[in-house]
Amino acid sequence: MSSVAVLTQESFAEHRSGLVPQQIKVATLNSEEESDPPTYKDAFPPLPEKAACLESAQEPAGAWSNKIRPIKASVITQVFHVPLEERKYKDMNQFGEGEQAKICLEIMQRTGAHLELSLAKDQGLSIMVSGKLDAVMKARKDIVARLQTQASATVAIPKEHHRFVIGKNGEKLQDLELKTATKIQIPRPDDPSNQIKITGTKEGIEKARHEVLLISAEQDKRAVERLEVEKAFHPFIAGPYNRLVGEIMQETGTRINIPPPSVNRTEIVFTGEKEQLAQAVARIKKIYEEKKKKTTTIAVEVKKSQHKYVIGPKGNSLQEILERTGVSVEIPPSDSASETVILRGEPEKLGQALTEVYAKANSFTVSSVSAPSWLHRFIIGKKGQNLAKITQQMPKVHIEFTEGEDKITLEGPTEDVAVAQEQIESMVKDLVHRMDYVEISIDHRFHRHLIGKSGANINRIKDQYKVSVRIPPDSEKSNLIRIEGDPQGVQQAKRELLELASRMENERTKDLIIEQRFHRTIIGQKGERIREIRDKFPEVIINFPDPAQKSDIVQLRGPKNEVEKCTKYMQKMVADLVENSYSISVPIFKQFHKNIIGKGGANIKKIREESNTKIDLPAENSDSETIVITGKRANCEAARSRILSIQKDLANIAEVEVCIPARLHNSLIGTKGRLIRAIMEECGGVHIHFPVEGSGSDTVVIRGPSSDVEKARKQLLHLAEEKQTKSFTVDIRAKPEYHKFLIGKGGGKIRKVRDSTGARIIFPAAEDKDQDLITIIGKEDAVREAQRELEALIQNLDNVVEDSMLVDPKHHRHFVIRRGQVLREIAEEYGGVMVSFPRSGTQSDKVTLKGAKDCVEAAKKRIQEIIEDLEAQVTVECAIPQKFHRSVMGPKGSRIQQITRDHNVQIKFPDREENPVHSAEPAIQENGDEAGEGREAEPGSPRRCDIIIISGRKEKCEAAKEALEALVPVTIEVEVPFDLHRYIIGQKGSGIRKMMDEFEVNIHVPAPELQSDIIAITGLTANLDRAKAGLLERVRELQAEQEDRALRSFKLSVTVDPKYHPKIIGRKGAVITQIRLEHDVNIQFPDKDEGSQPQDQITITGYEKNTEAARDAILKIVGELEQMVSEDVPLDHRVHARIIGARGKAIRKIMDEFKVDIRFPQTGAPDPNCVTVTGLPENVEEAIDHILNLEEEYLADVVDSEALQGYLRPPVHEEAKGPSKGFVVRDAPWTASSSEKAPDMSSSEEFPSFGAQVAPKTLPWGPKR
């Protein structure tokens, strides 16, 4: 810790007189009187140390010796003891647990205090509470209330003393409760009881009771007395400025309440201790009696308006009169019409008081100045500036402006009011002379247009004509506008406002119907587009409706011609928007979406850019196949054609056009597309595209796999024929769980009904609201027959039966594994039939089925089929090397899942071999074999980790095996020149990664050190040919690039004198850059620092033809430069700066004008006047003439300037001054001889170590503190 001492002038003088042994001498040195320089010690006298300081280590006396008082700790600790008999929770099994511990934790959290509990030998509870004082007090109160048994007691004190126990805002009661750790209940004021109830511990109750009784006892000593004194004598008792009553209160300790003059009460209330109170009452009675005997009154008439001057601010004038004369002045109330003022006092002093009353009354006067009300604000000035000048000079004058009145009221001291009145009158006269006003009537509807946006119009008029324009607020609905200011400006402003108004009256309002969906587009982001329209038509006001109103009406208002132009412009804009918002939906099979998007979105981006359309694809996880194209109609059609052509190229997609009359289209599509969707789903998900409604086209396009397209065409034509002949529709209802059963496996049952009746049956789609509704369409007799058949089937399904069948327990597991998936599938397929297998552990083979009769029979049949499959199940092994297993499985096992679904088999892959043996030894040690008994595997036999097990029916297992083997990746080798490998790999592997992703293969490029030309491609056979072709195509591209690079590497050298190089390069490389860009070549100049390199060789690299053209361009420049001559001109160096100009501007202009180069000598050149001019001979001559003329002109100015400086320069002393030596001292430390001892590095004094105690060293500036 460091301390800072403050050194005063006195202490410094004392310090020096005490420390310096001899008197300090101050010598003033004069160079003329004393030639020898002073010594270092004379110039800088040292302050030797005081011996006493080193002898004792005592603290210095004075201000620093005072000890700083320790700061009182804010954290306190208190210990409370709860005896055994008063403990609330004494029957605890274990100390520190249960309810008591919970309460302590709650108290700690609520109060912020820290609690520690301990159990004494007598089983009493000791509680130590730490924290801030208020937290400790609150915690103590809670501990007593919640951990200690509570007792209660009552204490009776007089009802009037209760409020003293409560205290102001209940603060005293709260403090008392905290201090005693009790709860004190005081009866309400309306309760007649005087009993105060105290709840808490015995000790706390005693303390609280004692405190309450103390408060009551204190109040018992006090008394209250009321004394009737006539209101007129109250001022004498209070004394001037209440001093007399204040003195009595102070001396007696009694509180005396005198009612204020405004309150019409006569009694004075005394409160205090009985003895002192009696003294105070006696003194006041005495004053009252004396004044009553001695005083008399006189009544005088004083104008009502002057009463306030007699009273003075806050009654000060009355108090002043009372103090000076001892006379009380009674003023009638302000609401009274009386002007009589009564003076009460001793007769001899009434005269003096009367004089003072009249003096006060006449000291102020009221005057008025006539001024038109419209001039008031000009008199006041901006922010009260004009008025402030008057009020600052005469602060006692009050100036009042009344709105609507043509006068100004002045009030204040008579003299000041006269001066102020004169100033205001002159101001009014001046304003009336140079100001004018006019009122014009303009319909209030146009007011906001006159004001303009953010007040732009009206502010412009105000600034232009220096006038004030007052437009009434909208709420007043007033037509009157007032213009005030300079007469000429007023007339001009009036003319312009009336012109604007007449123009607005000629304005028209037009409602433009624009669909609300376009409003945001027209307004644009952050209002950019609407701002452009408003800038284009500034006189037109465009109002868009509130989006919440859902209105299409856009209102335009302005001059007729402008509104018409704006309408046409906006209609054209809307037409463009409508044209660009044409939208068509293209159904594309989901599996081709990724091909349409392309790698990194390349394909879709290209289509969007070339067709100038917006293309939206459905989300990846969505079931939708529809791609939405938005833009101009022609562009949308072009984009659709491109997308469909991609799909057609990728798959065997056929497209057929069917001619169906346009009037039948809606009935064929059906409600919300139900009919057409049913045909599309039935025919393998083909896409059927109807022409746009209203186009009049009869062509319907069907797109999809060839076989499905033909099937859909037949169904569509058949349905159209039905619709044309006679169409009849019937709706029937069936529970959604029956639908699958009614349709049958693969749609077999429903097809049977369709074929037998010829009616078309449509089941609800997943998104339809009414899932019970089945629609039958066709000829009436066919529909009726189909209806009967379906209703019979539904009726059978409604008859619930229960049946059972026997299933061998060994097959039970197959049905219940995977959370009963097989059973769930059976229930879904066969109308929600319930199949119950016996509990596991029981050997029962009885399986119960419950549901509709037909469903139960069908489910039994299906279970029997599954059992037959299980019994006929075989296991086939498929050997595929383990390294290919991941590839065979596909991403997330998708390929295997597809095979198991297609062939209805189970496929099990072996566990991965943890430590595959890489040695060439064929011996394999199996579990259980001894080290010495290892069996040798047959050379051709597969490893166990390679064997995949397929379970299912034999024929299906064989098919699945073939499918698995087809997924095994194959490797082919492609020969690619080694020098192209790095280009195929690409930057950070991007090239090869792109090819691998595109062709879904793995491409292995050999390591560079192998220098091999063979690249291996591994993948499915179907992908290998595409990958190979892609790789070879890339090789051809790279070879073409190589050839192009070789052609571009042609080099040509041209010899050019180095002195021409800067000219060929040009300023900032402008000339050479132009040659490089024009001929597509690289031009290299010789490096000046490279000595071995010829300095006259310029190298040009590029195509041979381009390099020759660039060479010719350079030689042409050189030819022009060789014709140039250089001439040296003597030019006075004093004018160089003028000729060059600021930043070389002037000299550049000369060089451009005469097409020459002008070089000025550098600083320090042998001939500072030599200037070199280079260019064609005739140009050089003209340039030299021009700069010589400039020299002549500028030199005259230079000579004049120098002559003037000669007169202004101060006279030079004949005697040359020698160089200044500065301040010199002798015997300084830095001039000491080299024989002085160097610092001793081993000395602990000169080089002390950190933390070591070092003997104090004598210092010239006293000891270290």
Side-chain angles (χ1 to χ4, degrees):
M1 183 175 169
S2 62
S3 62
V4 180
V6 180
L7 196 64
T8 63
Q9 287 183 348
E10 292 79 14
S11 61
F12 180 67
E14 186 184 334
H15 174 73
R16 288 200 59 178
S17 61
L19 296 181
V20 183
Q22 71 277 4
Q23 190 180 358
I24 296 164
K25 293 177 183 177
V26 180
T28 51
L29 303 175
N30 193 319
S31 57
E32 291 174 6
E33 293 173 9
E34 190 171 330
S35 58
D36 288 339
T39 63
Y40 179 77
K41 283 189 178 179
D42 288 341
F44 303 103
L47 294 174
E49 62 281 351
K50 199 173 184 180
C53 290
L54 299 173
E55 287 166 10
S56 67
Q58 289 178 353
E59 288 185 11
W64 304 102
S65 60
N66 293 339
K67 292 276 184 185
I68 296 168
R69 260 185 261 165
I71 296 166
K72 197 173 181 182
S74 61
V75 175
I76 63 160
T77 303
Q78 286 191 11
V79 179
F80 311 120
H81 190 72
V82 182
L84 175 63
E85 60 274 10
E86 289 182 18
R87 276 177 60 194
K88 195 177 272 189
Y89 302 98
K90 49 191 167 191
D91 301 326
M92 288 191 304
N93 296 332
Q94 192 169 347
F95 180 69
E97 290 182 0
E99 197 65 29
Q100 184 173 282
K102 282 184 191 172
I103 288 167
C104 289
L105 277 170
E106 278 176 35
I107 293 168
M108 283 164 72
Q109 285 169 358
R110 203 168 65 80
T111 62
H114 179 70
L115 271 63
E116 285 184 25
L117 276 71
S118 59
L119 210 59
K121 284 184 181 178
D122 61 356
Q123 294 302 301
L125 195 64
S126 289
I127 304 161
M128 186 168 77
V129 187
S130 304
K132 292 192 175 177
L133 181 63
D134 58 340
V136 169
M137 297 308 283
K138 283 178 188 172
R140 177 177 172 232
K141 186 183 171 186
D142 280 3
I143 289 162
V144 167
R146 300 179 69 179
L147 297 183
Q148 206 164 348
T149 52
Q150 302 289 295
S152 66
T154 57
V155 59
I157 62 168
K159 186 80 176 172
E160 58 268 22
H161 295 175
H162 286 193
R163 63 192 182 93
F164 298 105
V165 176
I166 295 166
K168 191 177 181 181
N169 298 328
E171 286 174 6
K172 196 161 189 179
L173 183 64
Q174 284 174 11
D175 288 346
L176 196 58
E177 285 183 338
L178 275 176
K179 201 158 77 173
T180 60
T182 57
K183 175 73 181 164
I184 301 170
Q185 291 173 311
I186 294 172
R188 296 175 64 79
D190 51 5
D191 187 345
S193 171
N194 63 354
Q195 300 283 336
I196 293 174
K197 187 180 178 184
I198 305 167
T199 309
T201 61
K202 286 179 184 177
E203 186 188 352
I205 289 168
E206 286 303 317
K207 277 186 185 175
R209 191 168 177 280
H210 174 69
E211 290 289 338
V212 169
L213 289 171
L214 268 179
I215 292 165
S216 180
E218 195 178 319
Q219 294 307 317
D220 275 339
K221 291 177 187 175
R222 298 177 71 79
V224 177
E225 191 169 328
R226 289 174 170 79
L227 180 65
E228 288 287 336
V229 175
E230 286 177 55
K231 187 80 177 169
F233 293 97
H234 286 190
F236 298 112
I237 290 163
Y241 302 104
N242 289 328
R243 283 185 202 142
L244 184 58
V245 77
E247 283 171 19
I248 297 168
M249 283 162 70
Q250 201 170 354
E251 287 171 17
T252 60
T254 306
R255 190 173 164 201
I256 303 168
N257 184 16
I258 299 172
S262 56
V263 178
N264 194 21
R265 279 170 57 195
T266 57
E267 63 177 18
I268 297 172
V269 181
F270 299 81
T271 312
E273 293 190 11
K274 289 177 181 175
E275 291 175 13
Q276 283 98 330
L277 186 138
Q279 288 175 22
V281 171
R283 282 182 67 176
I284 282 174
K285 273 184 179 176
K286 187 182 176 186
I287 294 165
Y288 174 46
E289 295 299 334
E290 277 180 15
K291 290 293 177 188
K292 207 169 180 183
K293 285 176 190 174
K294 291 181 182 178
T295 58
T296 183
T297 61
I298 59 166
V300 292
E301 294 296 315
V302 177
K303 285 181 186 176
K304 190 76 179 173
S305 60
Q306 293 178 325
H307 285 192
K308 58 183 176 181
Y309 307 129
V310 177
I311 296 166
K314 295 180 183 178
N316 279 349
S317 297
L318 293 179
Q319 297 295 331
E320 200 180 309
I321 293 167
L322 181 63
E323 186 178 28
R324 285 187 190 165
T325 64
V327 174
S328 164
V329 181
E330 295 168 27
I331 306 286
S334 55
D335 53 358
S336 164
S338 171
E339 293 188 341
T340 306
V341 174
I342 296 167
L343 281 72
R344 189 183 302 273
E346 294 173 19
E348 63 272 16
K349 292 184 180 175
L350 284 172
Q352 186 189 345
L354 185 60
T355 308
E356 290 211 15
V357 165
Y358 277 120
K360 297 279 183 197
N362 296 319
S363 63
F364 280 77
T365 186
V366 177
S367 179
S368 65
V369 176
S370 179
S373 59
W374 66 274
L375 281 179
H376 287 188
R377 54 197 200 85
F378 296 104
I379 293 164
I380 294 165
K382 196 175 182 182
K383 294 182 181 176
Q385 283 176 353
N386 296 348
L387 210 57
K389 291 173 187 173
I390 299 169
T391 53
Q392 280 169 7
Q393 290 172 12
M394 290 151 284
K396 290 184 181 178
V397 176
H398 174 66
I399 303 168
E400 190 177 332
F401 294 83
T402 310
E403 197 174 346
E405 287 187 15
D406 292 341
K407 67 171 185 176
I408 302 164
T409 309
L410 288 84
E411 191 179 311
T414 311
E415 291 175 7
D416 289 357
V417 164
V419 175
Q421 185 174 348
E422 191 181 331
Q423 287 186 13
I424 289 172
E425 279 174 350
S426 67
M427 203 184 287
V428 169
K429 193 176 178 183
D430 175 54
L431 286 169
V432 166
H433 176 68
R434 63 183 179 83
M435 299 288 277
D436 193 9
Y437 81 94
V438 72
E439 288 182 345
I440 55 173
S441 180
I442 295 173
D443 194 323
H444 69 271
R445 291 180 294 123
F446 303 137
H447 286 188
R448 66 191 185 94
H449 304 297
L450 290 177
I451 293 165
K453 193 174 181 182
S454 304
N457 285 352
I458 208 71
N459 287 339
R460 179 184 58 77
I461 291 168
K462 284 177 179 178
D463 294 342
Q464 191 174 339
Y465 303 118
K466 303 287 186 289
V467 292
S468 169
V469 183
R470 305 191 73 187
I471 297 174
D474 288 345
S475 56
E476 288 183 17
K477 305 286 184 190
S478 169
N479 295 343
L480 215 60
I481 294 176
R482 188 184 179 96
I483 310 166
E484 299 166 354
D486 176 65
Q488 191 181 349
V490 165
Q491 292 305 318
Q492 288 173 330
K494 176 186 172 182
R495 200 179 307 118
E496 184 161 341
L497 283 172
L498 288 170
E499 277 176 18
L500 280 170
S502 66
R503 209 182 306 156
M504 282 169 196
E505 282 171 359
N506 296 329
E507 279 183 354
R508 63 169 292 188
T509 301
K510 188 165 185 178
D511 289 344
L512 199 60
I513 306 297
I514 298 173
E515 285 182 65
Q516 197 183 30
R517 65 193 173 108
F518 296 129
H519 289 189
R520 283 184 71 182
T521 315
I522 293 168
I523 292 165
Q525 194 174 13
K526 295 182 181 176
E528 284 174 7
R529 291 186 72 175
I530 197 67
R531 207 176 295 123
E532 283 175 22
I533 299 169
R534 283 176 175 148
D535 292 344
K536 202 166 187 148
F537 305 100
E539 293 181 42
V540 180
I541 294 162
I542 305 167
N543 287 324
F544 283 85
D546 192 319
Q549 292 175 359
K550 304 286 183 190
S551 170
D552 294 340
I553 297 169
V554 176
Q555 195 179 69
L556 308 183
R557 180 183 175 82
K560 189 177 178 182
N561 294 341
E562 290 297 305
V563 167
E564 287 301 326
K565 285 179 190 173
C566 187
T567 304
K568 284 177 184 173
Y569 182 81
M570 288 186 76
Q571 281 172 341
K572 186 177 180 297
M573 185 188 275
V574 171
D576 289 346
L577 287 171
V578 170
E579 190 182 356
N580 287 323
S581 63
Y582 177 77
S583 180
I584 54 172
S585 299
V586 187
I588 296 292
F589 294 101
K590 192 80 177 176
Q591 63 264 35
F592 301 130
H593 282 203
K594 64 176 182 178
N595 304 91
I596 287 161
I597 294 165
K599 181 74 178 167
N603 287 359
I604 200 75
K605 191 178 179 184
K606 192 177 178 185
I607 296 168
R608 280 172 180 154
E609 286 172 358
E610 289 179 6
S611 65
N612 193 22
T613 56
K614 181 187 174 191
I615 303 172
D616 294 315
L617 286 97
E620 208 172 320
N621 52 4
S622 162
D623 294 332
S624 171
E625 294 184 335
T626 307
I627 295 173
V628 180
I629 308 169
T630 311
K632 288 187 177 178
R633 185 167 186 161
N635 294 351
C636 290
E637 295 290 349
R640 179 172 68 177
S641 302
R642 288 190 62 172
I643 289 170
L644 289 172
S645 69
I646 291 170
Q647 179 180 251
K648 201 170 183 181
D649 293 346
L650 288 167
N652 180 25
I653 301 295
E655 192 176 289
V656 172
E657 290 184 354
V658 183
C659 191
I660 294 170
R663 60 191 170 79
L664 296 176
H665 289 185
N666 280 346
S667 58
L668 288 175
I669 292 164
T671 312
K672 293 182 181 177
R674 283 182 70 198
L675 281 175
I676 205 69
R677 197 162 53 239
I679 294 173
M680 284 156 69
E681 284 171 6
E682 194 178 324
C683 301
V686 295
H687 294 147
I688 301 173
H689 178 68
F690 283 83
V692 178
E693 195 175 350
S695 65
S697 172
D698 294 343
T699 307
V700 178
V701 179
I702 308 168
R703 198 179 291 111
S706 304
S707 56
D708 294 337
V709 165
E710 188 55 36
K711 189 177 174 185
R713 189 181 73 85
K714 284 178 183 174
Q715 284 207 25
L716 200 60
L717 288 170
H718 178 65
L719 189 61
E721 194 180 332
E722 278 181 6
K723 290 278 180 191
Q724 268 181 312
T725 53
K726 191 179 181 186
S727 181
F728 187 73
T729 305
V730 165
D731 290 338
I732 60 171
R733 292 187 174 276
K735 292 178 183 176
E737 56 263 30
Y738 294 163
H739 291 188
K740 275 196 177 180
F741 181 74
L742 291 171
I743 294 164
K745 194 169 185 180
K749 282 188 179 179
I750 208 71
R751 200 179 298 116
K752 195 176 174 185
V753 175
R754 281 176 184 160
D755 294 345
S756 65
T757 62
R760 180 166 187 77
I761 301 157
I762 299 165
F763 284 84
E767 60 268 19
D768 289 347
K769 286 184 181 176
D770 196 345
Q771 289 290 311
D772 293 357
L773 198 70
I774 301 169
T775 307
I776 309 168
I777 299 169
K779 292 179 181 176
E780 189 174 354
D781 54 345
V783 169
R784 294 292 182 201
E785 193 181 337
Q787 184 184 2
R788 277 194 297 277
E789 283 191 33
L790 280 175
E791 282 175 347
L793 282 169
I794 293 162
Q795 197 173 354
N796 287 343
L797 291 172
D798 285 337
N799 298 330
V800 177
V801 296
E802 191 170 322
D803 200 354
S804 65
M805 65 183 292
L806 300 177
V807 177
D808 194 323
K810 70 179 179 182
H811 298 312
H812 288 191
R813 187 173 177 277
H814 174 78
F815 289 94
V816 297
I817 58 169
R818 297 195 300 278
R819 297 182 183 177
Q821 187 180 340
V822 177
L823 294 178
R824 274 203 308 278
E825 286 170 3
I826 291 169
E828 281 175 20
E829 200 170 336
Y830 301 104
V833 68
M834 288 172 63
V835 184
S836 301
F837 276 78
R839 287 180 178 278
S840 59
T842 60
Q843 289 304 308
S844 171
D845 57 359
K846 187 180 177 184
V847 175
T848 309
L849 296 91
K850 189 178 181 182
K853 189 177 179 183
D854 292 351
C855 293
V856 167
E857 289 302 320
K860 277 173 75 176
K861 192 177 175 186
R862 174 69 186 130
I863 290 169
Q864 202 59 50
E865 284 174 11
I866 292 168
I867 291 165
E868 284 173 17
D869 281 350
L870 290 170
E871 285 175 347
Q873 198 172 54
V874 296
T875 300
V876 173
E877 291 183 351
C878 176
I880 293 174
Q882 190 183 27
K883 64 181 178 179
F884 298 130
H885 286 187
R886 188 186 290 259
S887 174
V888 169
M889 285 179 186
K892 296 181 182 176
S894 58
R895 290 175 182 166
I896 289 301
Q897 287 166 12
Q898 189 64 41
I899 293 169
T900 54
R901 276 198 300 273
D902 292 348
H903 301 287
N904 195 18
V905 293
Q906 297 293 321
I907 301 171
K908 186 177 185 303
F909 279 77
D911 294 333
R912 286 182 69 80
E913 190 179 21
E914 291 299 324
N915 297 307
V917 180
H918 297 293
S919 65
E921 294 175 12
I924 298 170
Q925 184 179 326
E926 302 240 357
N927 290 340
D929 293 345
E930 293 296 324
E933 297 176 356
R935 297 197 309 262
E936 286 201 1
E938 292 176 25
S941 66
R943 298 180 301 165
R944 273 193 301 179
C945 63
D946 295 342
I947 294 168
I948 299 167
I949 296 165
I950 309 166
S951 306
R953 282 184 172 271
K954 189 175 181 182
E955 63 276 11
K956 290 187 176 179
C957 286
E958 291 299 331
K961 184 179 177 183
E962 285 176 20
L964 278 175
E965 285 170 345
L967 292 174
V968 176
V970 180
T971 302
I972 60 168
E973 292 180 345
V974 182
E975 192 171 339
V976 176
F978 172 73
D979 58 331
L980 297 179
H981 287 194
R982 63 196 182 97
Y983 301 112
I984 286 166
I985 292 166
Q987 194 175 13
K988 295 182 180 176
S990 60
I992 202 157
R993 202 161 44 244
K994 184 182 175 186
M995 290 173 74
M996 283 158 65
D997 291 344
E998 190 179 341
F999 303 117
E1000 295 179 3
V1001 294
N1002 183 39
I1003 302 173
H1004 176 70
V1005 179
E1009 56 268 17
L1010 297 175
Q1011 300 277 315
S1012 171
D1013 290 346
I1014 303 299
I1015 289 179
I1017 307 173
T1018 307
L1020 300 180
T1021 313
N1023 298 337
L1024 287 176
D1025 291 340
R1026 281 173 57 236
K1028 184 178 178 181
L1031 183 61
L1032 292 172
E1033 179 60 34
R1034 179 69 181 138
V1035 168
R1036 280 193 290 276
E1037 284 175 15
L1038 291 169
Q1039 284 172 339
E1041 284 175 18
Q1042 268 188 335
E1043 287 171 16
D1044 185 59
R1045 265 199 302 276
L1047 290 171
R1048 284 184 69 91
S1049 302
F1050 181 78
K1051 282 190 178 179
L1052 185 69
S1053 291
V1054 58
T1055 306
V1056 176
D1057 194 321
K1059 69 180 179 182
Y1060 298 133
H1061 289 190
K1063 288 289 180 186
I1064 295 166
I1065 292 166
R1067 186 179 290 133
K1068 294 182 181 176
V1071 177
I1072 202 69
T1073 302
Q1074 192 179 347
I1075 295 170
R1076 280 175 180 148
L1077 293 172
E1078 197 176 320
H1079 301 288
D1080 189 22
V1081 293
N1082 181 30
I1083 302 170
Q1084 197 70 37
F1085 283 82
D1087 192 347
K1088 289 179 183 178
D1089 300 332
E1090 189 69 45
S1092 60
Q1093 194 177 348
Q1095 292 296 303
D1096 59 354
Q1097 293 295 314
I1098 297 172
T1099 308
I1100 309 168
T1101 310
Y1103 292 115
E1104 187 176 356
K1105 196 168 92 175
N1106 293 1
T1107 55
E1108 287 170 358
R1111 178 196 60 192
D1112 294 344
I1114 290 169
L1115 290 174
K1116 187 183 174 186
I1117 293 167
V1118 171
E1120 288 173 1
L1121 292 170
E1122 282 175 344
Q1123 289 177 10
M1124 292 184 181
V1125 295
S1126 287
E1127 279 193 36
D1128 291 341
V1129 186
L1131 205 67
D1132 196 307
H1133 67 275
R1134 290 174 293 176
V1135 299
H1136 286 191
R1138 287 282 299 274
I1139 291 169
I1140 292 166
R1143 295 183 181 178
K1145 208 173 183 181
I1147 198 68
R1148 266 201 305 276
K1149 190 178 177 185
I1150 295 167
M1151 289 196 290
D1152 292 343
E1153 188 182 338
F1154 296 101
K1155 294 182 176 57
V1156 293
D1157 182 56
I1158 302 170
R1159 296 282 168 201
F1160 285 83
Q1162 291 184 342
T1163 310
D1167 185 359
N1169 299 330
C1170 183
V1171 175
T1172 307
V1173 185
T1174 308
L1176 294 172
E1178 61 274 15
N1179 293 351
V1180 168
E1181 284 176 18
E1182 287 176 14
I1184 289 170
D1185 288 345
H1186 181 72
I1187 57 175
L1188 287 172
N1189 289 339
L1190 288 176
E1191 179 199 25
E1192 193 177 335
E1193 184 185 328
Y1194 296 154
L1195 205 54
D1197 293 344
V1198 170
V1199 170
D1200 291 348
S1201 177
E1202 284 178 354
L1204 183 63
Q1205 289 297 321
Y1207 288 112
L1208 296 173
R1209 199 174 292 138
V1212 181
H1213 291 290
E1214 290 177 11
E1215 205 174 318
K1217 282 189 176 180
S1220 174
K1221 291 181 181 178
F1223 182 69
V1224 181
V1225 292
R1226 290 179 290 117
D1227 304 333
W1230 53 85
T1231 58
S1233 63
S1234 59
S1235 61
E1236 192 174 327
K1237 189 182 173 188
D1240 182 7
M1241 289 177 72
S1242 61
S1243 166
S1244 62
E1245 277 188 16
E1246 292 184 18
F1247 293 92
S1249 59
F1250 287 112
Q1253 290 292 323
V1254 181
K1257 191 176 179 184
T1258 305
L1259 297 170
W1261 303 103
K1264 287 181 181 174
R1265 283 185 169 81

